[in-house]
Amino acid sequence: MEVDYEKTGLKVGLEIHQQINTSAKLFCNCRPELFKEEPEITFLRRLRPTQSELGQTDPAAFFEFQKGVRILYEANRATSCLVEMDEEPPHPLNREAVETVLVAALMMKCKPVDEVHVMRKTVIDGSNTTGFQRTCVIALDGEIRVGEKTVPIQHASLEEDAARKTAEEGNTIHYRIDRLGIPLIEIATGPVIKSPKEAEEVSLAIGNILRATGKAIRGLGTIRQDINISLPKGALIEIKGVQELELIALAVEYEVNRQLNLIKICEELREHGLNEESLKEDFVDITDVFRQTKCKVIRKALDKNQQVLAVKLPKFKGFLKRELAPNIRLGTELADRARFWGRVGGIFHTDEMPAYGVTAEEIEHLRNRLEMKEQDAVVFVADSPENARDALRAVVERGREALRGVPEETRAPNADGTTRFMRPRPGAARMYPETDIPPMQIMEEHIKQVNLHLPELPEQKLQRFAEEYGLNEKLAKQVLNSEYGELFEVIVKESKVQATTVAAFMTETMKALKRDGVPIEKVTQTQIRDIFNCVGSGQVTKEAIPEIVSWLGQHGGCTIQEATKSIGLKMLSKEELNEIVESTIQRNKTLIEERGTNAYGALIGIVMKEVRGKANAAVVSELVKQKLASFLTSN
Ligand SMILES: [Zn+2]
């Protein structure tokens, strides 16, 4: 659907989390690194929200608690100690991390706080061994310029990263605590962003500032963005943990569509005379309808002596298959809820029937059993009686919410930019002071010092790229916004390769390779520097760069020399090149006699076809010109 974003009253705010590269973690001396091997240590904990949290009405926390979820933590000694295991109090704040946030904050004109106080933020999913995440505000109330717009920065904070989920089996979740305690910068903007495109631009601008500190860790998962989206008649939705910049605009666009569609559905349902009381928790056991069923999911449940439970949603016919965003229907939203609260695999509903092996006869039977009218819809699940009931309760609740409009939720991103229900939005008062860590003062004098040595701002750099390297504004911007923004100058200075060649590589070539499925993220910055040094010294031609990058991406840990050797990209010697040009001229005598010096273009084409990637184009051109001239004079 085409949307005029100005008219919708859309408001978007971003929270950007960037891992920073310090020599130790935030509250201990462990290395901020992840490990791939089998864990040296594992320990089991039961999820147990503390008293103060249960006092608040955080339905998700209480639910997780009731579920009796167990967490298996995985660790090794190099990346975690007793602090991550919550067996030893945290050490004082890592000064290097505070300093990095301070630099970024001052670049965004934020005002540093006098004293840094570490707070605890309730975490309900077991991703922190303590049951809370430590966070502290370093500076407040700044702003950045993005194009013509001034975007307020609410705060720049320092947080500890959480453990990462590695597996989930039944009631046990596996978390690896190597990531726990890695410092994160958190930057929160005011809710002033008004379109998907603008959301992407603001995110880019903040990312550029964070990278300019020189301390941003790169790679997938090192930057995570939370997007808060609200529409006047819709709701505030938080999309948590978007990792790819390219998905930000899309996620906003889809969320606006989702909300507009839900608002429309709400209006239509109400026009049908429905209200929240129309939906009742009257669950009907329809197991007998499916005694002979060919539906595999239901068959499996019945074999385990489980049941099929159904609920009627009056006048909902057609609404459940209504698309809210690509492949997300109202039915999908009911299913998400059923999975979350009922631990079921999914739901069936009559808008998509007959399907999945459920026959028209079975549906007819079901209609009679539930005394369905033409405009009604029915949702049914096959699971244990307890799970089935919880699932249908959640379905009815979501149905009632559809009559109110858009429910407030925290949602998780899918790979295509759409989102799925993650959990209800947590209550507001989730912060309380961390008493184990003394406050840290930030002195006036110190701020002055940092201010004197702030890194160049991205907009200044943009201007300099244009002036010093002759890049046009568009290309300069693309370089700066690319992942290799910092590398550009280093390469141009050390390799002496033309700036526009390096710039085109960092923007177009890398993008094209990524599109073709080359794992470019596996090619390190050092390797890229090596490639350009080889180009600069004439060992490799610039035409060969894509092939080398592609080979290195597929062969992790190899050198440029191994790459060129393996793909047969040895540069031709002067003698070899001479020979090729000479023989090309001999083979094309007739052509040269006919066209004279005009044969040059055709000859170059023939020679380059043979030597591409193995010889410098300028050298070839010069050589062909010479040989052609001497051939013509001697004949
Ligand atoms: Zn540690």
Side-chain angles (χ1 to χ4, degrees):
M1 153 173 22
E2 272 303 314
V3 176
D4 180 345
Y5 291 100
E6 276 297 321
K7 269 197 198 138
T8 60
L10 170 67
K11 280 187 193 161
V12 180
L14 297 175
E15 267 176 42
I16 296 184
H17 304 86
Q18 164 76 61
Q19 282 184 354
I20 48 182
N21 192 5
T22 42
S23 51
K25 285 189 180 178
L26 197 48
F27 299 111
C28 63
N29 281 320
C30 294
R31 286 208 306 266
E33 282 171 14
L34 306 184
F35 70 94
K36 290 191 185 119
E37 309 80 52
E38 284 298 302
E40 294 169 356
I41 308 158
T42 59
F43 54 101
L44 200 63
R45 297 269 168 88
R46 206 165 260 286
L47 210 56
R48 62 180 159 82
T50 62
Q51 205 53 43
S52 73
E53 294 148 40
L54 285 181
Q56 302 159 4
T57 45
D58 190 333
F62 190 66
F63 175 72
E64 296 282 343
F65 174 63
Q66 276 184 321
K67 269 201 311 194
V69 172
R70 299 184 317 165
I71 312 284
L72 185 78
Y73 291 106
E74 309 169 342
N76 79 358
R77 287 182 181 82
T79 59
S80 49
C81 63
L82 292 174
V83 173
E84 286 92 333
M85 295 174 198
D86 193 27
E87 300 285 356
E88 184 188 311
H91 306 184
L93 264 174
N94 178 329
R95 287 200 165 261
E96 187 189 358
V98 175
E99 185 88 10
T100 306
V101 182
L102 199 55
V103 170
L106 291 173
M107 287 175 79
M108 293 187 251
K109 301 191 184 133
C110 293
K111 289 132 204 104
V113 297
D114 301 332
E115 232 177 23
V116 179
H117 291 266
V118 180
M119 304 291 285
R120 297 174 170 184
K121 192 156 61 174
T122 307
V123 172
I124 49 162
D125 59 5
S127 63
N128 286 56
T129 49
T130 48
F132 50 81
Q133 180 191 28
R134 298 187 182 98
T135 178
C136 50
V137 174
I138 304 294
L140 294 158
D141 293 329
E143 61 180 50
I144 55 166
R145 294 285 295 171
V146 180
E148 297 299 301
K149 190 170 179 140
T150 301
V151 177
I153 301 297
Q154 293 179 334
H155 63 87
S157 298
L158 180 57
E159 295 193 332
E160 59 177 346
D161 206 344
R164 57 191 175 110
K165 195 188 272 188
T166 48
E168 193 166 355
E169 343 162 339
N171 261 3
T172 307
I173 306 175
H174 295 234
Y175 276 105
R176 198 160 276 207
I177 60 172
D178 48 5
R179 200 177 70 179
L180 182 59
I182 293 183
L184 289 176
I185 297 188
E186 184 194 38
I187 304 292
T189 75
V192 299
I193 298 164
K194 299 226 159 87
S195 74
K197 181 108 186 51
E198 207 172 83
E200 183 181 316
E201 286 166 357
V202 171
S203 170
L204 254 174
I206 294 173
N208 284 340
I209 291 177
L210 297 182
R211 279 208 301 266
T213 64
K215 293 271 186 166
I217 299 183
R218 283 151 196 281
L220 192 66
T222 57
I223 185 160
R224 298 191 292 275
Q225 336 227 10
D226 298 347
I227 316 175
N228 293 300
I229 304 174
S230 69
L231 289 182
K233 280 188 182 167
L236 177 61
I237 294 290
E238 181 182 28
I239 302 176
K240 227 171 167 47
V242 178
Q243 301 194 3
E244 282 117 334
L245 182 72
E246 303 89 68
L247 282 188
I248 290 179
L250 209 54
V252 175
E253 183 188 323
Y254 287 159
E255 178 56 24
V256 171
N257 271 299
R258 196 184 70 92
Q259 293 203 23
L260 292 176
N261 282 319
L262 283 172
I263 293 166
K264 196 147 170 281
I265 287 174
C266 171
E267 286 165 0
E268 286 178 39
L269 286 170
R270 291 204 162 264
E271 278 165 22
H272 282 72
L274 276 174
N275 56 44
E276 287 171 48
E277 290 74 50
S278 321
L279 302 188
K280 298 196 169 59
E281 292 187 358
D282 292 337
F283 307 141
V284 184
D285 184 342
I286 52 163
T287 312
D288 58 301
V289 171
F290 295 97
R291 280 291 166 222
Q292 308 298 326
T293 196
K294 299 260 187 318
C295 169
K296 281 186 194 147
V297 177
I298 298 181
R299 183 80 268 151
K300 217 169 132 192
L302 298 190
D303 287 347
K304 283 194 274 183
N305 258 333
Q306 296 180 328
Q307 65 169 189
V308 186
L309 205 62
V311 69
K312 185 160 66 180
L313 303 180
K315 299 188 180 171
F316 264 68
K317 185 185 175 185
F319 287 103
L320 301 185
K321 65 176 174 192
R322 204 62 100 64
E323 200 167 65
L324 308 174
N327 290 317
I328 307 287
R329 294 159 206 283
L330 185 56
T332 321
E333 306 233 325
L334 301 188
D336 280 355
R337 293 293 187 87
R339 269 191 285 268
F340 183 83
W341 296 103
R343 288 141 280 173
V344 297
I347 61 169
F348 298 96
H349 61 78
T350 46
D351 268 6
E352 53 179 7
M353 290 294 149
Y356 311 116
V358 176
T359 63
E361 289 72 43
E362 284 165 338
I363 292 303
E364 196 46 42
H365 195 165
L366 175 158
R367 298 186 67 91
N368 292 333
R369 286 293 305 280
L370 278 106
E371 297 172 354
M372 271 174 79
K373 296 205 182 68
E374 176 52 33
Q375 289 309 312
D376 296 345
V378 165
V379 174
F380 53 105
V381 287
D383 211 296
S384 71
E386 193 201 346
N387 286 358
R389 234 185 343 267
D390 286 344
L392 290 190
R393 255 190 220 122
V395 164
V396 170
E397 178 53 27
R398 182 65 189 85
R400 287 177 181 152
E401 286 170 352
L403 285 149
R404 273 178 251 151
V406 185
E408 289 204 344
E409 290 170 349
T410 301
R411 298 180 66 85
N414 297 323
D416 64 355
T418 60
T419 57
R420 61 185 184 276
F421 175 78
M422 190 174 166
R423 53 176 150 87
R425 276 184 58 79
R430 290 164 69 233
M431 296 258 243
Y432 47 106
E434 164 64 84
T435 42
D436 286 338
I437 302 168
M440 181 194 280
Q441 287 197 316
I442 300 183
M443 311 303 255
E444 272 302 320
E445 196 46 43
H446 184 67
I447 297 168
K448 263 188 208 152
Q449 279 305 314
V450 176
N451 253 327
L452 281 178
H453 301 99
L454 283 186
E456 186 178 31
L457 278 171
E459 55 257 41
Q460 296 164 340
K461 204 173 212 170
L462 199 65
Q463 211 174 352
R464 203 164 52 74
F465 277 8
E467 284 162 10
E468 276 180 39
Y469 301 104
L471 303 186
N472 63 38
E473 197 192 321
K474 189 174 163 221
L475 191 56
K477 211 175 206 167
Q478 282 177 342
V479 168
L480 197 69
N481 288 343
S482 84
E483 247 199 83
Y484 310 97
E486 266 77 76
L487 206 54
F488 169 74
E489 277 190 278
V490 178
I491 289 181
V492 173
K493 282 195 178 132
E494 99 189 344
S495 72
K496 308 274 190 281
V497 174
Q498 237 186 2
T500 44
T501 304
V502 180
F505 163 81
M506 291 177 161
T507 54
E508 285 142 39
T509 311
M510 283 310 238
K511 228 182 244 165
L513 287 173
K514 191 178 176 187
R515 244 193 330 264
D516 292 345
V518 174
I520 52 167
E521 67 283 351
K522 296 214 174 111
V523 183
T524 64
Q525 305 223 344
T526 320
Q527 286 179 320
I528 295 174
R529 280 170 68 174
D530 284 350
I531 296 175
F532 277 98
N533 286 333
C534 287
V535 174
S537 63
Q539 287 169 271
V540 165
T541 64
K542 65 178 186 189
E543 287 79 14
I545 298 175
E547 212 178 338
I548 298 176
V549 170
S550 169
W551 193 91
L552 288 173
Q554 280 145 18
H555 301 82
C558 290
T559 63
I560 312 299
Q561 284 67 32
E562 285 166 307
T564 49
K565 199 170 157 202
S566 167
I567 38 190
L569 275 180
K570 201 83 185 84
M571 291 289 279
L572 294 168
S573 67
K574 236 184 186 147
E575 292 72 34
E576 288 167 316
L577 199 55
N578 251 319
E579 211 166 287
I580 290 169
V581 175
E582 192 58 53
S583 83
T584 307
I585 288 184
Q586 291 306 323
R587 275 186 278 124
N588 292 283
K589 273 186 185 159
T590 343
L591 178 102
I592 299 172
E593 275 152 15
E594 270 171 35
R595 299 199 199 165
T597 47
N598 287 337
Y600 169 78
L603 290 175
I604 272 287
I606 298 166
V607 174
M608 278 314 287
K609 215 172 180 181
E610 198 174 336
V611 305
R612 189 174 303 283
K614 299 183 210 161
N616 190 314
V619 175
V620 174
S621 158
E622 194 49 41
L623 197 61
V624 170
K625 213 179 272 172
Q626 272 176 27
K627 296 251 177 209
L628 177 61
S630 65
F631 178 85
L632 287 171
T633 42
S634 63
N635 284 277

